[in-house]
Structures are given as C-alpha cells and as structure tokens.
Amino acid sequence: MSLSGSRLDVMRFVGEKIDTLMAEYLKPIETNWQPSDLLPDTTQENFLDEIKLLRESVRELSYDYVAVLIGDTITEEALPTYESWLMDMIGVDQENANSWSRWIRSWTAEENRHGDLLNKFLYLSGRVNMRAMEVSTQYLIADGFDIGTGRDPYRNFVYTSFQELATNLSHRRTATLAKQAGCPQLSKICGVIASDEMRHAKAYKAFVDQIFAVDPSEMMLAFEDMMRKKIVMPAHFLRETGVKMGQTFSHFSDAAQRLGVYTTQDYIDIADALLTDWNIASINDLNDAGQRARDYLMALPNRLRRVAERTKVPTLEYPFSWIA
C-alpha cells in the first residue's frame, strides 16, 4: 500500500477518537487560564506599583537565564510555522475541518497563550531589547523550519511527542530557577506553561500508541528514522540581525546547557522515556525491517550516553542583542 494510502487509513482510525482525546488533553477555553490572569492588571490603581515590584524581582536573574527565557519566548511565538506544518500532514483536511484539523487548531490556541504571556512579561521586565527580540521572532517565522518529518503524520507525532516533553522540562527548570532567584511570579508563569506542555505531550504520545496498535512496523520505522536524523529544536534556524541562520540558536543552546535547563543528557533521557512509554521492547508484531528498527532504538540511549560522556559544557559566553 502506498504511504499516503496506509497513512490515510490509520489517520482516519485514530481520528475517530479525537473528540475524546481533546476532552482529556485540552481544557475548555472559558475556564482555561489566560495571560492577563498572571500579569499586573492595567485597569487597577496599583498597576504601576505591581510593575515596579515585577521589575525589582527580575534583577537577580542571570544573563544566561534571561537569554534562555527570551529564546523560549521566541520559540513559542513561532506557532504560525508549527500550525501550518501540521496542517499539511497526510490525513488532515483544512477545507472540511475534519477531526485532525480541529485538534491542530485547538492545540495551537492553547499553545498561543505561552508566547503571549512570556512576551508581555519580558516587555514589562525592563531587561530586554524588545525590538531585537521581535526581529528574531519575525525572522524565525519567515525562515520556517525543516524538522525532517515531511508530511508523514507518524514522523510528526514522534517529533511532537519528543518536543512537548523537552519544552515541559525546559519550562519546569526555568520555573525552579526563577523561584530560587526570588521571582515567584515568573516561576508561576513558567510552571503553568510547563503543565500545558505535559498535557500536550501525553496527547501526542497517545496518538503514537494507537498507531503502534494498528501499524507497528511502519510506526517503528518512522520512530527509528526520526532518531537517526536527531530531533532538532523547532527554533534551530533562530538568528539575530546580521547573524547567519542558526548561529544564534547555537549560542542559545549553549546558555541552556550551562544553566542546566536543557542538556545533552536530557535529550537522552527523553529518548529513553519514549522507549518505555511506548513499550518498544515488547512490540513483536513486526516485519524484518521493523525488528531491526526496534533493535536500533533499544540500543540508542546507551550509545548516546557514551558520546555524551565526552561532551563538555560550553563556557564561551555570547552577547545577545536581545538583552538590554
């Protein structure tokens, strides 16, 4: 069966359960938190006093921390790219608004709050050159990305499962560091965003679980292919004015590694967790290629750990144009 034919059948099968999954993994709009719930209220008399307290609370945040928070914000604000990419997957019908297009739009609507909230907080903080940050955001959306999935939903769901776990981890770590630096408001902001990311990770992992149940060999091959390529971050083309595409992302990644917000070891741990979550070791109804793919995946974490042991934490600091 052709790729589009088999994928379409499976996407229709999994799509029949989307309404149930949406109720489980997404929250009703009217009762969900909104950015204004977590920021000073412009309609109140004490608004300026709240802003003063906010600005005082962020003074102790380190240079690397502010750089990572800005990079996280820009990544979250590039949602138009992510939505348009997912909308082009095999099995998604934009014109007739099938179950998959409803899921993608509803997921995007929840995710959109993250960049909105972080952007406003950074604007109020006084620590950020907002124009430089906004230029990088526009570049990232204009440049798009290439995450190695093509239009294949199997590969896309491996990617989103991995990435949602990675962003959950990153936001949880920034929440902890903000609390330690005496910035409880920012800690709460990063914490609620991390909570969203974990719910979304569970949803995408559930999609993959269901695909493994009906098309195990093809799903295993898609998982193997994505891990061989390596899961790139959605902002891997990140850049600043006058900087080549991807160079700023490299410095952003170095800062995250120095802080311990997202490290090489975290990448390996997420890969290991997905092997467990999807019960890869026990999937036996595979063709020869699928079995070889499973064997590669099971051996991958230890192979990556051996490489990571030789990896040094980068020490070279970089002057980001984003930081005032």
Side-chain angles (χ1 to χ4, degrees):
M1 190 176 289
S2 68
L3 179 136
S4 60
S6 62
R7 263 45 170 187
L8 277 172
D9 290 342
V10 173
M11 286 290 279
R12 289 191 188 104
F13 168 78
V14 179
E16 291 174 358
K17 304 175 183 179
I18 284 294
D19 289 340
T20 300
L21 292 169
M22 285 180 65
E24 183 174 357
Y25 296 118
L26 299 177
K27 291 187 175 182
I29 292 173
E30 291 297 330
T31 58
N32 210 346
W33 65 263
Q34 297 299 331
S36 58
D37 298 331
L38 297 155
L39 294 167
D41 186 347
T42 60
T43 67
Q44 298 301 309
E45 290 294 329
N46 67 343
F47 173 67
L48 293 179
D49 293 331
E50 292 291 326
I51 297 300
K52 184 178 179 180
L53 290 172
L54 185 156
R55 291 166 73 96
E56 289 175 354
S57 74
V58 301
R59 286 178 182 170
E60 299 305 316
L61 296 174
S62 71
Y63 190 93
D64 275 346
Y65 183 97
V66 176
V68 168
L69 192 65
I70 293 170
D72 285 348
T73 303
I74 294 169
T75 303
E76 294 283 1
E77 290 199 295
L79 271 172
T81 300
Y82 316 149
E83 180 181 19
S84 62
W85 187 281
L86 291 172
M87 276 292 194
D88 195 44
M89 283 191 304
I90 292 165
V92 180
D93 188 340
Q94 295 192 61
E95 185 177 354
N96 297 309
N98 70 357
S99 56
W100 284 112
S101 62
R102 289 199 305 275
W103 164 266
I104 293 167
R105 287 170 179 151
S106 297
W107 167 82
T108 301
E110 277 206 353
E111 288 276 339
N112 187 67
R113 292 142 54 250
H114 302 169
D116 188 12
L117 173 56
L118 290 169
N119 183 299
K120 288 173 179 172
F121 183 91
L122 289 173
Y123 173 73
L124 295 172
S125 76
R127 295 280 310 264
V128 180
N129 178 336
M130 291 301 295
R131 192 178 196 285
M133 183 182 114
E134 289 157 358
V135 166
S136 287
T137 301
Q138 186 169 355
Y139 268 131
L140 187 57
I141 296 173
D143 293 335
F145 65 3
D146 183 3
I147 54 176
T149 61
R151 299 183 62 228
D152 180 15
Y154 294 16
R155 287 169 172 79
N156 270 290
F157 293 157
V158 169
Y159 182 86
T160 47
S161 296
F162 195 105
Q163 275 304 308
E164 295 285 16
L165 290 172
T167 51
N168 164 263
L169 183 62
S170 177
H171 288 302
R172 279 196 290 115
R173 297 257 177 84
T174 53
T176 299
L177 291 171
K179 186 175 182 180
Q180 292 172 350
C183 193
Q185 184 178 15
L186 178 57
S187 180
K188 183 176 181 180
I189 285 171
C190 295
V192 297
I193 292 173
S195 179
D196 277 1
E197 305 289 13
M198 180 52 74
R199 280 190 293 104
H200 299 163
K202 290 177 179 178
Y204 285 110
K205 288 193 293 180
F207 299 160
V208 173
D209 262 330
Q210 293 185 34
I211 296 171
F212 266 124
V214 295
D215 197 7
S217 292
E218 284 297 308
M219 187 64 246
M220 192 70 73
L221 288 166
F223 188 14
E224 177 207 24
D225 181 61
M226 290 304 298
M227 297 312 297
R228 283 188 184 277
K229 291 173 180 173
K230 297 184 180 178
I231 303 291
V232 297
M233 300 299 108
H236 63 118
F237 288 163
L238 186 63
R239 58 173 163 149
E240 302 158 86
T241 299
V243 178
K244 291 182 179 179
M245 187 185 297
Q247 285 187 352
T248 300
F249 177 78
S250 178
H251 293 298
F252 161 66
S253 297
D254 288 348
Q257 183 106 332
R258 283 193 297 272
L259 276 178
V261 166
Y262 186 73
T263 67
T264 301
Q265 186 58 52
D266 293 325
Y267 181 98
I268 299 168
D269 289 345
I270 291 171
D272 213 355
L274 290 175
L275 294 175
T276 301
D277 292 343
W278 291 327
N279 204 20
I280 297 300
S282 300
I283 297 177
N284 296 312
D285 188 18
L286 300 167
N287 58 27
D288 290 345
Q291 291 175 15
R292 289 192 296 272
R294 181 193 58 198
D295 293 344
Y296 169 83
L297 289 165
M298 292 305 301
L300 182 61
N302 285 337
R303 185 180 302 123
L304 292 176
R305 287 188 182 98
R306 288 194 294 271
V307 174
E309 288 173 358
R310 302 191 296 270
T311 303
K312 295 181 180 180
V313 176
T315 57
L316 177 64
E317 296 186 2
Y318 171 79
F320 291 94
S321 64
W322 309 324
I323 301 180

